[in-house]
Amino acid sequence: MTTLNSTNDHTTPLRRDIRSLGQMLGNILVHHGGEELLNKVETIRQLTKDLRQNPEQHTYKQLKQEIQSLEPPMRSQVTRAFSIYFHLVNIAEQNHRIRRRREYQLREDHGAQPFSLESAVINLKNNNFSKELIQDVLHDLSLELIITAHPTEATKRTVLEIQKRIAAILQKLDHPQLTKGERESLQDSLQNEVTVLWQTDELRERKPTVMDEVRNGLYYFDQTLFDVLPDIHQELENRLEDHFPGEDWDVPNFLKFGSWIGGDRDGNPNVTPEITWETLEKQRQLALKKYDQVLVELMKRFSHSSTQVTVTEALKQSIEEQEPLLSEEKRWRDDREIYRRKFAIILERLRQVGRSEIGYKDADELHEDLLLIQESAQTHQPNRGELKKLRKLIRQVEMFGFHLATLDIRNHSGEHEAAVTELLRKVGIEEDYSALSEERKLAVLQDVLKDPRPISLLNEDYSESTQQMLTVFQMIRKAHLEFGKRSIEVYLISHTEAASDLLEVLVLAKEAGIYRLHADGTVESNINVAPLLETVDDLVAGPEILKTVFDMDIYSRHLKKRGSSQEIMLGYSDGSKDGGTLTANWRLYKAQQEIREMAEDYGIGLKFFHGRGGSLGRGGGPLNRSLLSQPAETLGEGVKITEQGEVLSSRYLLRDIAYRSLEQAASTLVEGAANVSKESEQGHHREDTWEQAIEEISEVSLKKYQDLVFGDPEFLTYFNEATPLQEISGLNIGSRPMKRKDSSKFENLRAIPWVFAWTQNRQLLPAWYASGSGLAYYADQGSEQLEQLQQMYENWPFFRSTINNLQMALTKADIQTAREYTQLVQDEKIGKRIFNEVVEEYERTKEILLRITGDDELLNHQPTIKESVRLRNPYVDPLNFLQVELIKELRKEEDPNDEILTEVLLTISGIAAGLRNTG
């Protein structure tokens, strides 16, 4: 299969890999479909390429004729050829990232790689940061990455495994000292893996269950995260020791992973309390398995004999106390090999966790035993580096405990209100709590929280939903006892609209004993209650909601027990869906500023939790750029970011890519927080006039967006018909329903399928629409305004990130291909009118972005990405053309044809691979 080409020197190895993989795929096409299949694929590819270079009507008609003439089974084989080609290109590009990173490390004249931990440390030293300031920053630093199971990973786990094996072979082929025989063997293995990829079904036969999603999430902990996370911390410590010699550094575990998978109940009836409990058990099983593997390896290495070395008395005493707990056959057979005796005890106690009294009660006990070994070994080990595997295990135990990852619980505010309404009615406090005014609700809830007595009745016949709600909170308390309090720390409230939404959760926590008011007036609280501010209106109301609860004595006492810190989640998806990407991002930025200023008055620390998606329409982008776009003053107080399904494989499937992604985020956070901590940097991150400008731009953008999405009565028809929304649900990429309720209303459609559908038809409307109107309106007021926007782009990370994301969105969008989808709109006038409006805004946005950046083309600042998108387009286009023809055929039938639907789904999967995201 002919492959994409370029002339950039540093991409020569990448082009070699893509050419090799393309040739292998071509061999497979000939083997399975003969020369006819390969020729058909090549003809379509060449026509789409010609159409891009010279959009003539003749070429267009010829291409349409080629696609319309395709018949099963060749049609699906052509679709799969382009789809699998993208999987291979994606693997090759990831491998090239790894290759480039190694080249940087090997060439001394390059200096430190940008956004590496070494570059961060060098910058701190060059800017005269003291050891004390850096150490203080590190102790306050916190970045939590939360993996979610939103239905956005279109690639099957089996296919990911094949991709990983292909990547491993490509890395081996880079070895400069391969013999001819070794190279030939690797090439044979590579051809075999590409063949297996072709012969594997890429579509799921059924929707994954929640436990399937849990297993998929745990896969990344097992394969990369368990080892990479401690390595990041050790690397930072090593670089600090290199550049600040003679100083004693302590790098705390500031980078952590958590999960929503198995705990996110919002709109997903499949996440039951039983499922959450099973999730916690699976997480513990994996943590124990990983510790077991490392301990067995350490046991082999620690063959030291008490006749050759002297160990500490503390270690001897612990062995004497604990060895009798083991049966004779499980004790180490050689009394002189004292470390192995201790490891035998540790292994048996680890294997009995949750099974018998011998097992460790918690990870702290395991940690203490490992420290005993380390302290003893250091007395006779000449080189600290020799203990690095043990030191790494100690850090792993500190980071992962027995829970592996903290599991957040999330549910909709309406569910809590319904349960509290029933509880209050049953005990005669309020007949209809839900109908009360907000002021009255707060009064009732505070009275309940100030009374130590419960309001739930032991044998009362509650509705099924209320009973399950009570069970969720009882399960949290039970989890704290079984897995430790770190297993579940945060309860998130979706659709937070009022202060009562937070208090309702505290009331339910009180009923389970997670929150307690003792008779003497003291408070005990073992859960963080976090509002999720999603819509534009919620973001505006957020500061007042939080001020209301901060003013309450009962809530203040709860916060004090939680370290005087409040977590707040900010939703990027729904805000963008309701108000457009520019307005949503500005409202999010502004809400953080206002809430932080208000919280400072109360002496309350904040942790902002950014609910970003992987795609641009939902706040996506590289981790380090996500951090840079936040108000700088919020970085030092703790940051939390979702890592959603579609980015997990691209960021964490391969160890080196996982390391680089996390290194970029860690280095950005360290530098950003240090700069804010330095007094001279305060107040120089932005100017008031910039904020006034973006406020004005946002208002114009919001009106433009809502005029189309909510004001045009025919827009919803256009969206439903001009995108593959109806077909996406058949892709089986998540356990959660596409809609919150069984309703066709826009507000009930989740943001993920909304973005996914627009990505598929190449309009990417949620990622850019209406931004151009706002920016152009401001710039057209005069040359001073345009110059101001250019200064903002140059000096304000938030604005620069916004503009660059818009550039990326417009580059990935393709109006020429998107025009094909207007054929799917039954009323031709509707399709033509709305599409023309989209095109007009696209051109307006492109023009103003180029005026602001001063460039002649989009993405000039990221030539590698620009070139990748340009070269991919001729291979994505055939899938779009095929998709339109297939959907037309599918929608003609009253009863959808399963074979055609499968072919549509193949195009959806292929386009997602080609554009490297879904929703």
Side-chain angles (χ1 to χ4, degrees):
M1 187 169 174
T2 306
T3 55
L4 48 82
N5 204 355
S6 176
T7 56
N8 214 333
D9 281 345
H10 74 77
T11 64
T12 300
L14 171 62
R15 287 184 283 117
R16 180 199 66 212
D17 286 348
I18 292 174
R19 185 166 55 250
S20 174
L21 291 167
Q23 288 169 351
M24 290 178 179
L25 180 57
N27 295 338
I28 294 164
L29 296 183
V30 172
H31 180 77
H32 281 269
E35 292 288 344
E36 183 186 5
L37 174 58
L38 179 60
N39 291 338
K40 181 63 75 172
V41 169
E42 283 299 299
T43 299
I44 291 172
R45 185 197 65 80
Q46 190 60 50
L47 284 170
T48 52
K49 189 175 179 181
D50 292 345
L51 189 63
R52 281 194 165 270
Q53 293 173 346
N54 192 8
E56 291 182 349
Q57 192 66 21
H58 169 71
T59 309
Y60 174 75
K61 285 181 178 178
Q62 196 178 346
L63 175 61
K64 293 284 284 187
Q65 188 177 348
E66 284 287 347
I67 286 174
Q68 288 169 352
S69 67
L70 287 171
E71 297 282 343
M74 183 175 281
R75 188 167 60 191
S76 65
Q77 290 179 320
V78 169
T79 302
R80 294 192 71 232
F82 284 105
S83 178
I84 286 173
Y85 177 71
F86 279 123
H87 286 298
L88 296 173
V89 170
N90 291 343
I91 299 165
E93 287 188 346
Q94 285 205 315
N95 185 58
H96 191 59
R97 278 189 70 195
I98 295 169
R99 181 187 290 130
R100 292 280 291 161
R101 179 169 177 265
R102 289 186 63 80
E103 287 173 0
Y104 238 112
Q105 292 171 327
L106 290 168
R107 288 182 58 180
E108 294 181 7
D109 60 325
H110 261 175
Q113 187 175 13
F115 292 107
S116 65
L117 289 167
E118 179 153 32
S119 75
V121 172
I122 290 171
N123 288 341
L124 293 178
K125 185 172 184 178
N126 290 342
N127 285 298
N128 299 316
F129 283 87
S130 67
K131 189 260 183 183
E132 290 73 25
L133 178 64
I134 297 171
Q135 192 67 71
D136 286 346
V137 166
L138 290 176
H139 277 288
D140 290 339
L141 215 57
S142 172
L143 174 60
E144 293 175 67
L145 301 171
I146 310 300
I147 63 171
T148 75
H150 291 294
T152 48
E153 173 57 86
T155 309
K156 273 172 61 176
R157 165 86 168 271
T158 303
V159 174
L160 292 176
E161 288 280 11
I162 299 168
Q163 292 177 2
K164 189 173 183 183
R165 294 198 296 270
I166 292 172
I169 296 170
L170 288 176
Q171 285 188 50
K172 288 176 183 175
L173 282 167
D174 275 344
H175 198 288
Q177 293 185 319
L178 287 175
T179 66
K180 181 181 177 184
E182 288 170 335
R183 187 169 295 280
E184 287 174 351
S185 176
L186 287 170
Q187 290 286 0
D188 288 344
S189 297
L190 191 59
Q191 179 72 69
N192 289 338
E193 292 296 348
V194 176
T195 303
V196 172
L197 183 61
W198 174 264
Q199 294 174 348
T200 299
D201 283 331
E202 60 263 56
L203 299 178
R204 294 182 178 90
E205 190 177 357
R206 60 171 178 80
K207 275 187 176 292
T209 65
V210 178
M211 291 314 298
D212 287 335
E213 292 173 334
V214 169
R215 281 185 282 273
N216 287 339
L218 291 178
Y219 175 77
Y220 296 101
F221 283 92
D222 191 12
Q223 295 294 308
T224 56
L225 297 177
F226 189 79
D227 284 312
V228 168
L229 280 170
D231 288 348
I232 291 284
H233 293 84
Q234 190 58 52
E235 169 72 3
L236 178 56
E237 196 167 288
N238 292 345
R239 299 292 73 80
L240 285 166
E241 288 173 355
D242 284 348
H243 293 282
F244 293 85
E247 300 285 2
D248 187 21
W249 290 98
D250 171 28
V251 174
N253 302 313
F254 64 88
L255 183 58
K256 305 184 187 96
F257 268 76
S259 178
W260 274 14
I261 310 177
D264 184 7
R265 296 170 51 81
D266 180 23
N268 193 346
N270 302 306
V271 181
T272 62
E274 294 75 24
I275 286 290
T276 303
W277 186 263
E278 189 178 350
T279 300
L280 293 167
E281 288 186 320
K282 292 287 184 193
Q283 290 186 178
R284 179 168 71 180
Q285 287 168 16
L286 178 58
L288 297 179
K289 183 190 89 169
K290 300 298 284 186
Y291 296 147
D292 196 299
Q293 291 169 349
V294 180
L295 285 163
V296 168
E297 182 61 33
L298 283 169
M299 195 175 189
K300 292 175 186 175
R301 296 185 181 202
F302 274 72
S303 57
H304 310 66
S305 170
S306 57
T307 63
Q308 303 298 325
V309 298
T310 301
V311 299
T312 61
E313 287 301 317
L315 178 64
K316 288 181 191 174
Q317 186 179 342
S318 75
I319 293 171
E320 288 169 8
E321 290 173 355
Q322 295 175 3
E323 206 166 39
L325 298 173
L326 275 60
S327 59
E328 198 65 42
E329 64 272 14
K330 292 193 175 170
R331 299 179 191 178
W332 189 250
R333 55 192 175 275
D334 189 336
D335 285 349
R336 294 170 302 174
E337 293 179 348
I338 194 150
Y339 288 113
R340 286 178 168 175
R341 287 170 65 190
K342 181 63 178 177
F343 277 120
I345 296 168
I346 292 173
L347 276 166
E348 182 58 19
R349 294 193 69 192
L350 188 76
R351 290 164 183 172
Q352 292 300 319
V353 169
R355 296 181 181 181
S356 75
E357 287 300 310
I358 295 175
Y360 287 114
K361 301 296 180 290
D362 53 44
D364 289 342
E365 291 185 349
L366 169 61
H367 187 253
E368 288 169 14
D369 273 352
L370 294 173
L371 286 178
L372 279 176
I373 293 175
Q374 179 180 251
E375 287 160 7
S376 179
Q378 282 174 344
T379 63
H380 57 75
Q381 201 73 27
N383 185 354
R384 258 183 95 214
E386 293 299 314
L387 297 173
K388 63 183 179 182
K389 197 169 186 68
L390 176 61
R391 290 167 61 204
K392 181 173 179 176
L393 176 59
I394 289 169
R395 194 181 282 276
Q396 285 167 325
V397 172
E398 291 168 355
M399 297 182 81
F400 300 109
F402 286 165
H403 63 291
L404 187 73
T406 298
L407 189 66
D408 287 353
I409 307 296
R410 180 173 79 135
N411 210 341
H412 195 280
S413 60
E415 302 286 327
H416 309 132
E417 183 181 76
V420 169
T421 297
E422 185 173 0
L423 290 173
L424 293 173
R425 184 173 66 251
K426 293 279 188 180
V427 291
I429 293 177
E430 279 294 340
E431 185 59 31
D432 188 2
Y433 163 82
S434 63
L436 298 176
S437 67
E438 173 65 9
E439 186 179 358
R440 179 64 188 141
K441 280 181 182 177
L442 292 175
V444 170
L445 294 170
Q446 287 181 86
D447 286 345
V448 170
L449 289 169
K450 288 174 183 174
D451 190 334
R453 295 170 297 179
I455 57 170
S456 53
L457 304 172
L458 191 59
N459 297 312
E460 186 57 49
D461 184 23
Y462 292 114
S463 65
E464 185 181 347
S465 59
T466 297
Q467 187 55 59
Q468 188 167 89
M469 183 63 70
L470 291 170
T471 305
V472 168
F473 284 87
Q474 290 160 2
M475 179 275 301
I476 294 172
R477 183 165 189 267
K478 185 182 169 190
H480 285 170
L481 296 172
E482 179 68 20
F483 306 104
K485 289 179 181 176
R486 286 170 64 195
S487 61
I488 298 174
E489 292 184 332
V490 180
Y491 194 105
L492 287 150
I493 309 161
S494 296
H495 203 62
T496 299
E497 293 182 313
S500 58
D501 294 330
L502 280 75
L503 296 193
E504 285 161 7
V505 170
L506 268 189
V507 166
L508 292 165
K510 173 175 171 278
E511 295 309 298
I514 308 168
Y515 170 90
R516 290 181 184 179
L517 177 66
H518 296 288
D520 63 0
T522 57
V523 164
E524 181 183 340
S525 187
N526 294 312
I527 195 82
N528 292 325
V529 179
L532 168 48
L533 307 175
E534 298 172 89
T535 67
V536 171
D537 289 343
D538 293 344
L539 291 168
V540 172
E544 188 57 37
I545 291 171
L546 287 156
K547 185 178 187 306
T548 301
V549 292
F550 289 170
D551 277 329
M552 295 177 184
D553 176 65
I554 199 75
Y555 197 83
S556 294
R557 284 195 275 167
H558 150 72
L559 280 181
K560 280 178 185 171
K561 289 296 178 181
R562 304 303 300 163
S564 293
S565 179
Q566 173 69 54
E567 183 169 315
I568 300 150
M569 185 170 184
L570 305 169
Y572 285 67
S573 303
D574 284 297
S576 179
K577 176 172 159 259
D578 293 340
T581 185
L582 191 145
T583 298
N585 278 285
W586 171 238
R587 290 281 190 268
L588 286 158
Y589 190 96
K590 192 176 177 183
Q592 290 177 73
Q593 286 180 303
E594 291 176 354
I595 293 169
R596 186 181 183 277
E597 286 171 9
M598 181 267 295
E600 271 190 328
D601 294 338
Y602 290 88
I604 293 169
L606 297 176
K607 179 187 287 183
F608 285 109
F609 182 4
H610 302 275
R612 291 175 171 269
S615 59
L616 294 168
R618 292 174 44 242
L623 268 177
N624 59 317
R625 288 214 296 270
S626 296
L627 290 166
L628 284 171
S629 65
Q630 308 310 321
E633 61 269 32
T634 66
L635 294 180
E637 297 181 326
V639 180
K640 203 167 165 181
I641 301 177
T642 50
E643 286 285 66
Q644 304 203 351
E646 66 183 320
V647 304
L648 292 181
S649 62
S650 63
R651 285 184 186 161
Y652 305 116
L653 182 66
L654 303 178
R655 188 203 178 281
D656 289 305
I657 296 291
Y659 185 95
R660 180 60 180 147
S661 180
L662 293 173
E663 178 187 46
Q664 287 176 322
S667 65
T668 301
L669 190 66
V670 169
E671 273 198 84
N675 282 330
V676 172
S677 294
K678 201 173 183 185
E679 285 184 22
S680 61
E681 293 289 326
Q682 290 282 14
H684 292 284
H685 306 292
R686 56 191 170 263
E687 295 180 13
D688 290 343
T689 54
W690 297 352
E691 295 189 3
Q692 290 163 12
I694 197 71
E695 185 71 45
E696 197 174 326
I697 291 165
S698 171
E699 286 177 13
V700 175
S701 179
L702 176 63
K703 185 177 186 309
K704 175 70 175 176
Y705 181 87
Q706 293 190 335
D707 281 350
L708 176 66
V709 176
F710 298 104
D712 191 321
E714 293 166 336
F715 175 77
L716 208 51
T717 300
Y718 175 81
F719 168 60
N720 284 319
E721 295 179 7
T723 71
L725 178 72
Q726 301 165 42
E727 291 74 25
I728 285 171
S729 60
L731 200 51
N732 292 332
I733 55 175
S735 67
R736 192 172 73 167
M738 276 176 39
K739 297 177 180 178
R740 284 192 168 90
K741 298 175 184 175
D742 188 15
S743 162
S744 59
K745 289 183 178 179
F746 180 75
E747 58 266 29
N748 290 325
L749 175 69
R750 291 189 181 279
I752 290 166
W754 160 255
V755 173
F756 196 170
W758 286 114
T759 304
Q760 286 286 310
N761 79 354
R762 305 298 295 281
Q763 293 185 39
L764 275 78
L765 186 140
W768 61 268
Y769 187 80
S771 302
S773 286
L775 291 164
Y777 166 81
Y778 191 79
D780 290 344
Q781 292 178 28
S783 59
E784 286 184 10
Q785 280 76 7
L786 176 60
E787 190 177 326
Q788 184 183 23
L789 293 179
Q790 291 168 340
Q791 289 174 355
M792 289 161 64
Y793 179 71
E794 186 69 28
N795 299 303
W796 189 11
F798 163 75
F799 191 70
R800 183 164 59 251
S801 176
T802 300
I803 296 298
N804 288 344
N805 281 342
L806 289 172
Q807 290 192 72
M808 178 72 79
L810 291 191
T811 304
K812 283 192 171 186
D814 192 271
I815 294 301
Q816 182 177 304
T817 306
R819 193 181 304 278
E820 292 298 302
Y821 287 81
T822 59
Q823 300 171 41
L824 300 175
V825 183
Q826 291 181 18
D827 188 325
E828 190 178 334
K829 286 183 180 177
I830 294 175
K832 189 173 181 181
R833 179 181 64 79
I834 295 180
F835 182 72
N836 286 342
E837 194 168 331
V838 171
V839 173
E840 186 182 315
E841 181 65 13
Y842 178 92
E843 295 299 338
R844 181 185 295 116
T845 307
K846 181 178 178 181
E847 182 191 5
I848 186 59
L849 292 181
L850 293 176
R851 288 168 67 193
I852 290 170
T853 62
D855 294 329
D856 55 357
E857 286 186 0
L858 297 172
L859 283 188
N860 267 6
H861 67 292
Q862 290 184 306
T864 304
I865 294 175
K866 180 174 76 171
E867 185 71 354
S868 176
V869 173
R870 186 186 70 80
L871 294 173
R872 280 166 179 262
N873 276 336
Y875 297 82
V876 183
D877 293 348
L879 293 170
N880 287 112
F881 278 90
L882 279 161
Q883 187 177 91
V884 170
E885 293 302 320
L886 288 164
I887 290 175
K888 278 197 285 189
E889 195 172 331
L890 184 69
R891 291 180 185 176
K892 284 177 188 174
E893 309 292 331
E894 285 189 24
D895 296 318
N897 182 305
D898 287 344
E899 286 186 17
I900 297 175
L901 177 59
T902 298
E903 290 186 66
V904 172
L905 298 179
L906 284 170
T907 65
I908 291 173
S909 179
I911 292 166
L915 299 178
R916 299 216 69 170
N917 56 34
T918 52

